[in-house]
Amino acid sequence: MIPNTLPQGLIDNPRLSDWVGFEPERRVRISTGKVEIGQGILTALVQIAAEELEVTPERLHAVSGETAAGPNEGVTAGSTSVAMSGAALRLACAEVRGLLLARAAERLGVAAEGLVVDDGRVLHDGRDTGHDYWSLAAELDLARPATGSVPTRSPSHYRVVGTSLPRVDLPDKIAGRGFIHDLAPPDLLHARVLHRPWRDARLVSLDLAAVRRAARGPIDILRDGDFVAVTAAREDIVNRAALAARAAAVWDGGMPVPADIGTPDWLAAQPARVRSVDTGDAPDEAGQTSGRVVEATYWRPFQTYGSIGPSCGLARLAEGRLTVWSHTQNPYALRDELARCLGLAVDAVTVLHRQAAGCYGHNTADDAAFDAAYLATRHPGRTVRVLFTREDEFLAAPVGPAMLVRMRATLGHDGRPAAWTIDLTSPVHSSRPGTYGYHGFRSREALPDPPPQPAERNDRPDAVGGGASRNATPLYDLPFHRLIHRTVDPFPVRTSSLRGLGAFANVFAIESFVDELADAAGVDAVAYRLSLLSDRRARAVIEAVAAMCGWPGDAPRGEGRGLGIGFSRYKNRAAYMAVAAAVEVDETVRLTHVWGAADCGLVVNPDGAVNQLEGGIVQAASWTLKEELRFADGRVATANFDDYPILRFSEIPEISVRLVGDSGDPPLGVGEAAMGPTAAAIGNAVAHALGTRIRSLPLSRDRIMAALLA
Amino acid sequence: MPEPTDVPVALTVNGTTVRLVTDPARPLLSVLREQLGLTGTRFGCGLEQCGACVVLIDGTPSYSCTREIGTLAGRSVVTVEGLGRDGALHPLQQALLDEQAGQCGYCLSGITMAGVALLARTTRPSRDEIVAALDRHLCRCGVHNRVVRAVQRAGAVLEPPTARTGDGA
């Protein structure tokens, strides 16, 4: 038998017992290094494991993101969890089933091929053999390396995978349970940290008496360098103290954020490291092109994840061992960096993932965990609980990077692009703990003797999907493509991953530009795209969404209504998605209907995938229409949801999503697939409605009015 | 430990009389989560901007993050923990499950309370009425349309039999 190629998760964590275990009351444990961040991953993994083990999903429970047990699968990001953790779990479960059946066959003196599993019981000739997984597992040591030699079930026989199993975590959440915020051990100590307003700011003064008065209850104030924390037994007391401390603190020195950092001109003027990548052969401008050049520049502002629940971390130091509860996306990296920054041995630190509000990129979860861990070292024997204030969810959070994208195409005689250049400028899109030697904790820099940071940080390489360059290269058939990537680093604010990374701005720019090229060529936008696409699956999602929305619609150009389209394949390796948007524009944009067609190959949970795509459409629409961080007084000046409005119930369009892929294809990640195509579809619809194009996001009332008056 | 400024407050929480000795300025949310162990109500912003902390006070959806406990003597508070009956979910909670109207679920406690209040007024809310009732609630995962469908579905379950008879006439 030819063994399956082992997925990375099984190479890194080969022991079968790391993935599967059999527990009392006929329960099955599955373990994963991936974590639930609102995307439904645990439900999908339960389905995959239930399928291979042939037990009902209700018997399974998932242990997720606990560093003391279970596999290390790195970060939960990039829409890769079903493809990666799912592949490892699938093989591990198939092998465990095979081992247990082989054991049963041995005991029964029959061929394993004649045995059938029914919800964990072993049947022979349709009769219960008296053996089941739990009795057989007691006779076997599953702490053995996976070989990948047991075939997995054929997709044509799937009974659980491919069904819309309800989310396993939702019943608790609907009943008001299941969040890290709800952990309340009896020795709890509430804490809030006073975060610095800008990098390397020095605390000049803090009126402690004013903080104590505002707290209206007993508090302790800890100051260590430029790090200040308030602790109390009651949460409302630390809340009041934290708000008072922020108002009373006077800061100086360091690197205040430039007031105009949020403008394209500022970003374009910064020194940058530049790389250029050419694909294909540059055309002979005189002979092979019409000489007609189209150029356009697009802008995506600084934005933020804006999770409804602020970040929370808990930590307890007892007998030299530190236990940390966190909603981090990467429990192992968090453990390693906490150990490094606190001077503890790695094996003295345990990180336990617990669920929080939705995670749409690098948020303050790791910061809250560090704050709690540091304070736990100062209060041994107490469980310290840190919650970020809403203000610090804006002020102290990693920022979704702005991007300036310049597009340029030389058209051939046939109206198709003969040469194509994308020139993008952006800070780095990743500063997670553990990347590029960076510890990633905001508060560690405020404490005395911070560990040295790398002088220069690189963006994520193209080989792992890129950062700013994510989706900078479209799937279109282009004879010559040039990518110019300008990385602005170091940078005055901490920029990091926001759902989709550079794909959001790049797809917005590319797909807007394709509409502009279609206009220049005098060709319908859908027909133009199809003329540039030989990828069968790409064509299929575009054709599907065009049919769904009644393309091209009946709205005349420039009269206030518009239909637009956008397409990409996320990272050029995850799900394909085409989106169409219908808008009505007067002084603002009203989004009336959004359609989406996606090909994500084998879909483990169709309703879960649709839910992710619908949610991606809503969030991307919010970014596209409303969201922009502002800066003033050396800091982020956007402090709450009144300053930073997001899409509300009254602004949500009708949404129709269809999955059009083939279950014979491998699963492709869906979590971030909708972001770029949605922005482009809305931008193109608004351009049609206005008869003029707005190339800078968000498509706010101010920008609409300026376009109307131009 | 009681502070000198603490005062006695008696109110009804989820149908049970609760007598507290507490700082009258303490937010209801803090009393619920810390003093009463009712952690289903969520802190989102502390500024009456997101709706995550909404509970019912005498049947009216109200922000608990800013409401001072001292103003609630004799009043009746209902939280997400008080919705179910005999171990069963409230029809709106069941409808949220049926529609899978959640991703992270953090906003749902507040949304559920506002939806329950709306359904107490009318079991046949229009889409516009539902949107108006929920518009001060933020959801970042984007399950809005599923929530709207869940409210309509729950309304059909809650509809009094007489109204259903009338429907057929």
Side-chain angles (χ1 to χ4, degrees):
Chain A
M1 182 176 294
I2 300 167
N4 296 302
T5 306
L6 286 181
Q8 195 61 41
L10 273 179
I11 294 170
D12 295 342
N13 309 275
R15 280 188 313 190
L16 293 172
S17 57
D18 283 349
W19 299 87
V20 188
F22 295 87
E23 300 187 336
E25 297 175 356
R26 300 172 65 81
R27 302 270 290 163
V28 182
R29 165 191 58 84
I30 59 166
S31 298
T32 172
K34 300 295 182 182
V35 296
E36 181 65 53
I37 52 177
Q39 83 284 42
I41 184 61
L42 297 188
T43 305
L45 295 178
V46 159
Q47 288 179 262
I48 289 169
E51 187 71 64
E52 292 303 331
L53 290 169
E54 298 184 89
V55 295
T56 56
E58 292 73 26
R59 294 207 183 281
L60 270 60
H61 74 102
V63 175
S64 161
E66 301 197 349
T67 60
N72 177 356
E73 295 186 272
V75 65
T76 300
S79 302
T80 58
S81 294
V82 165
M84 290 169 58
S85 195
L89 202 54
R90 177 179 289 120
L91 278 181
C93 288
E95 189 154 352
V96 166
R97 182 192 60 195
L99 287 168
L100 294 170
L101 282 182
R103 179 69 178 174
E106 193 182 315
R107 300 265 290 180
L108 293 164
V110 300
E113 289 70 26
L115 298 175
V116 171
V117 179
D118 176 20
D119 196 18
R121 293 179 307 136
V122 178
L123 309 184
H124 185 244
D125 287 339
R127 287 200 304 276
D128 196 337
T129 62
H131 294 284
D132 63 31
Y133 279 170
W134 294 267
S135 63
L136 294 163
E139 302 173 12
L140 284 180
D141 182 9
L142 293 177
R144 66 175 77 188
T147 62
S149 60
V150 175
T152 54
R153 285 168 59 79
S154 159
S156 59
H157 293 116
Y158 279 167
R159 287 178 295 197
V160 184
V161 168
T163 66
S164 291
L165 183 74
R167 282 274 295 267
V168 296
D169 53 331
L170 214 46
D172 266 353
K173 289 171 174 176
I174 280 172
R177 295 188 295 263
F179 291 95
I180 188 173
H181 308 77
D182 307 341
L183 298 175
D187 63 349
L188 199 64
L189 185 63
H190 289 283
R192 297 289 182 274
V193 170
L194 174 64
H195 286 282
R196 300 191 296 179
W198 56 78
R199 187 166 287 163
D200 297 340
R202 300 264 87 95
L203 184 59
V204 177
S205 73
L206 178 63
D207 182 349
L208 299 183
V211 174
R212 289 185 190 284
R213 270 197 310 279
R216 295 206 315 273
I219 57 170
D220 286 322
I221 301 174
L222 170 75
R223 178 166 178 185
D224 191 357
D226 294 298
F227 175 90
V228 178
V230 185
T231 51
R234 243 171 67 187
E235 183 157 31
D236 59 314
I237 292 174
V238 282
N239 273 342
R240 288 192 292 267
L243 295 176
R246 161 194 282 267
V250 179
W251 303 91
D252 198 2
M255 289 180 275
V257 181
D260 56 349
I261 190 173
T263 63
D265 288 348
W266 183 90
L267 190 64
Q270 301 311 302
R273 296 193 300 274
V274 186
R275 68 186 177 109
S276 181
V277 183
D278 287 359
T279 310
D281 297 319
D284 162 17
E285 295 267 340
Q288 292 169 279
T289 81
S290 64
R292 183 161 180 204
V293 172
V294 181
E295 288 181 291
T297 299
Y298 304 86
W299 169 251
R300 185 253 175 106
F302 292 101
Q303 295 177 323
T304 188
Y305 51 86
S307 182
I308 306 303
S311 286
C312 183
L314 295 90
R316 186 168 191 272
L317 181 71
E319 292 159 13
R321 298 194 53 83
L322 180 70
T323 306
V324 178
W325 294 262
S326 171
H327 49 108
T328 177
Q329 286 175 268
N330 192 338
Y332 285 87
L334 175 60
R335 175 197 64 183
D336 294 352
E337 294 304 317
L338 285 175
R340 182 161 76 98
C341 289
L342 297 173
L344 295 166
V346 167
D347 60 10
V349 182
T350 300
V351 172
L352 303 172
H353 184 269
R354 294 294 179 267
Q355 296 183 33
C359 169
Y360 321 102
H362 180 189
N363 56 25
T364 47
D366 296 302
D367 289 306
F370 174 84
D371 291 348
Y374 172 71
L375 291 168
T377 66
R378 302 292 298 255
H379 297 274
R382 297 292 298 270
T383 304
V384 179
R385 176 185 186 268
V386 168
L387 186 77
F388 263 56
T389 62
R390 174 52 53 192
E391 294 75 8
D392 281 339
E393 282 291 316
F394 285 95
L395 181 122
V399 170
M403 277 178 66
L404 186 65
V405 185
R406 300 184 183 91
M407 304 294 310
R408 183 180 197 274
T410 307
L411 298 183
H413 298 292
D414 56 1
R416 295 155 56 101
W420 169 292
T421 299
I422 181 168
D423 180 342
L424 53 98
T425 307
S426 175
V428 298
H429 286 244
S430 184
S431 49
R432 295 180 185 279
T435 49
Y436 313 118
Y438 180 57
H439 61 67
F441 304 127
R442 188 177 180 101
S443 292
R444 185 62 192 90
E445 294 178 2
L447 286 161
D449 307 318
Q453 298 277 42
E456 197 172 271
R457 274 185 293 150
N458 294 314
D459 205 7
R460 294 179 64 77
D462 293 341
V464 294
S469 62
R470 184 163 295 183
N471 281 89
T473 303
L475 285 193
Y476 296 116
D477 305 326
L478 301 170
F480 176 69
H481 181 277
R482 173 170 289 166
L483 163 67
I484 300 170
H485 178 186
R486 304 172 197 270
T487 301
V488 181
D489 174 75
F491 204 75
V493 294
R494 175 172 58 152
T495 56
S496 199
S497 306
L498 184 60
R499 192 178 189 178
L501 285 76
F504 179 72
N506 287 326
V507 173
F508 169 67
I510 289 167
E511 288 291 293
S512 298
F513 190 61
V514 168
D515 261 38
E516 300 201 47
L517 296 183
D519 280 351
V523 179
D524 169 79
V526 166
Y528 191 74
R529 281 175 173 78
L530 294 175
S531 78
L532 297 176
L533 267 175
S534 50
D535 185 313
R536 175 185 58 80
R537 297 170 75 177
R539 297 176 64 88
V541 294
I542 291 173
E543 287 165 345
V545 92
M548 288 169 75
C549 74
W551 185 268
D554 59 1
R557 184 180 290 245
E559 294 189 12
R561 288 191 302 129
L563 190 62
I565 193 166
F567 158 78
S568 77
R569 181 185 189 187
Y570 184 55
K571 298 201 286 189
N572 289 351
R573 65 175 78 154
Y576 295 81
M577 186 158 191
V579 174
V583 300
E584 294 173 5
V585 184
D586 42 46
E587 292 182 3
T588 59
V589 177
R590 197 169 81 82
L591 196 52
T592 57
H593 201 145
V594 177
W595 299 263
D599 176 352
C600 25
L602 170 68
V603 184
V604 176
N605 187 314
D607 187 64
V610 168
N611 204 347
Q612 280 292 292
L613 296 170
E614 291 171 352
I617 287 169
V618 169
Q619 193 169 89
S622 188
W623 293 354
T624 303
L625 296 174
K626 301 181 85 95
E627 299 182 29
E628 180 168 21
L629 283 175
R630 287 186 307 279
F631 302 85
D633 304 323
R635 67 192 80 185
V636 175
T638 309
N640 57 56
F641 287 120
D642 275 1
D643 296 342
Y644 192 86
I646 65 173
L647 217 61
R648 290 178 176 276
F649 272 92
S650 54
E651 298 166 309
I652 302 294
E654 189 174 339
I655 300 174
S656 314
V657 169
R658 274 184 58 205
L659 304 177
V660 301
D662 183 334
S663 62
D665 290 319
L668 302 175
V670 298
E672 294 155 286
M675 309 314 284
T678 300
I682 295 171
N684 287 332
V686 170
H688 186 92
L690 289 176
T692 180
R693 184 170 291 274
I694 303 172
R695 299 186 180 86
S696 292
L697 299 180
L699 306 176
S700 58
R701 183 178 185 280
D702 287 352
R703 288 216 168 87
I704 302 288
M705 294 304 287
L708 288 171
L709 297 171
Chain B
M1 188 184 299
E3 298 294 318
T5 51
D6 287 358
V7 297
V9 179
L11 71 161
T12 304
V13 177
N14 295 335
T16 303
T17 302
V18 174
R19 294 173 201 286
L20 305 163
V21 177
T22 191
D23 174 359
R26 188 169 182 179
L28 171 60
L29 178 63
S30 166
V31 171
L32 292 171
R33 289 187 61 86
E34 288 192 87
Q35 220 165 347
L36 302 179
L38 296 171
T39 54
T41 305
R42 312 239 151 260
F43 178 88
C45 66
L47 300 163
E48 304 188 352
Q49 293 176 358
C50 75
C53 71
V54 162
V55 297
L56 302 185
I57 299 177
D58 293 338
T60 302
S62 310
Y63 297 109
S64 66
C65 67
T66 47
R67 185 64 179 263
E68 295 184 358
I69 189 71
T71 68
L72 292 171
R75 311 291 290 274
S76 173
V77 172
V78 178
T79 70
V80 69
E81 290 94 341
L83 290 180
R85 289 283 175 274
D86 306 323
L89 294 173
H90 183 279
L92 178 54
Q93 293 176 302
Q94 185 58 50
L96 290 165
L97 271 184
D98 292 341
E99 294 289 342
Q100 290 288 289
Q103 286 185 25
C104 82
Y106 197 86
C107 64
L108 287 180
S109 294
I111 284 175
T112 303
M113 302 319 292
V116 165
L118 173 67
L119 290 168
R121 288 207 311 275
T122 169
T123 52
R124 288 194 206 176
S126 67
R127 184 185 166 86
D128 285 352
E129 285 176 298
I130 297 170
V131 162
L134 301 182
D135 213 31
R136 62 177 175 170
H137 292 267
L138 300 181
C139 160
R140 190 55 156 166
C141 296
V143 297
H144 306 73
N145 289 343
R146 288 169 180 257
V147 168
V148 171
R149 289 201 299 270
V151 174
Q152 288 169 329
R153 181 193 275 250
V157 173
L158 286 163
E159 186 150 271
T162 48
R164 272 204 291 271
T165 309
D167 205 25

